Amino acid sequence: MNSKVRFAAVALLAGAMGMSSVGCETKAQTGALVGAGGGALVGGAIGSLSHSRAGAGAAIGAGVGAIGGYVVGNEMDKKDQKKRDAAAASDARTSSDYRSQPARSTATTDGVSRDDVIRWSKDGVKDDVIIDRIQRSGTTFSLTPTDETALRDANVSEDVVRAMKNPSR
C-alpha cells in the first residue's frame, strides 16, 4: 500500500470516528452520518484495492452507508416514540391518585395541566422549558397541599411548583 492510500485510509478512519461522536437531534440523523462515514471508509478501501479508484468507491460507499444508517436510525426513532407514547398512556392510567384531586385551572383546552407538568418532568424536560410553557399558556393553578405533595412525589422541582403557583414570575 503506497503512502497516499495509507494516508487516505487513516484520514477516512479518523473522519468516521469523528462523525460518530457528533451529536444529532435524532437517531436517524446520527445513523446517516455514521453510515456515510463508515461507508466512505469501506468503499474507499474496496475501490482502492480493486480498481485503484478510492474516491469513487468512497463516494458510493458514503451514499449507500448514509441511506442505510438513516433507515436504521429512523426505525430506532419510531421505536423510541412508541415507547414514550406507551409510557405516557401507562402513566395516565396509573396516575389515578393524581387525578383524584386535580388542580383547578382557569385555562382553556390549550392550557397546561398538572399531569402535563408531571409528564414533562418524568420525560426529562428542563425546568426552564416547563416554566416557559406554564407562563406562555396563561394557566392559573390553584394548588392544594395535596396537589403540591403529588407534584413533589413525582419529582417536579420546587422552581416549577413555584411557577405553577405564580406563573407571572
Side-chain angles (χ1 to χ4, degrees), residues 114-126:
R114 181 182 62 182
D115 290 338
D116 291 333
V117 172
I118 291 170
R119 185 180 71 250
W120 293 331
S121 291
K122 284 183 180 180
D123 288 347
V125 176
K126 293 183 179 187

Side-chain angles (χ1 to χ4, degrees), residues 27-53:
K27 290 181 181 176
Q29 292 171 346
T30 303
L33 191 61
V34 172
L41 179 64
V42 172
I46 292 171
S48 175
L49 296 174
S50 64
H51 303 300
S52 297
R53 302 184 92 182

Side-chain angles (χ1 to χ4, degrees), residues 1 6 10 28 76 82-83 85-86 104 106-107 117 120 138 140:
M1 190 185 278
R6 189 174 307 192
V10 170
M76 292 170 73
K82 284 182 183 177
K83 284 181 182 178
D85 292 345
R104 286 156 302 285
T106 59
V117 172
W120 293 331
T140 302

Side-chain angles (χ1 to χ4, degrees), residues 80-144:
D80 290 348
Q81 184 61 44
K82 284 182 183 177
K83 284 181 182 178
R84 284 191 297 271
D85 292 345
S90 175
D91 287 346
R93 285 191 301 272
T94 60
S95 65
S96 60
D97 58 326
Y98 297 131
R99 294 172 190 261
S100 63
Q101 293 185 3
R104 286 156 302 285
S105 169
T106 59
T108 63
T109 57
D110 294 338
V112 173
S113 71
R114 181 182 62 182
D115 290 338
D116 291 333
V117 172
I118 291 170
R119 185 180 71 250
W120 293 331
S121 291
K122 284 183 180 180
D123 288 347
V125 176
K126 293 183 179 187
D127 290 350
D128 294 346
V129 174
I130 296 172
I131 292 168
D132 182 62
R133 289 176 181 174
I134 292 168
Q135 290 170 342
R136 289 178 184 263
S137 73
T139 303
T140 302
F141 293 92
S142 297
L143 298 177
T144 66

Side-chain angles (χ1 to χ4, degrees), residues 12-26 29-35 37-38:
L12 283 171
L13 179 61
M17 289 172 57
M19 283 190 281
S20 68
S21 66
V22 173
C24 295
E25 286 186 35
T26 66
Q29 292 171 346
T30 303
L33 191 61
V34 172

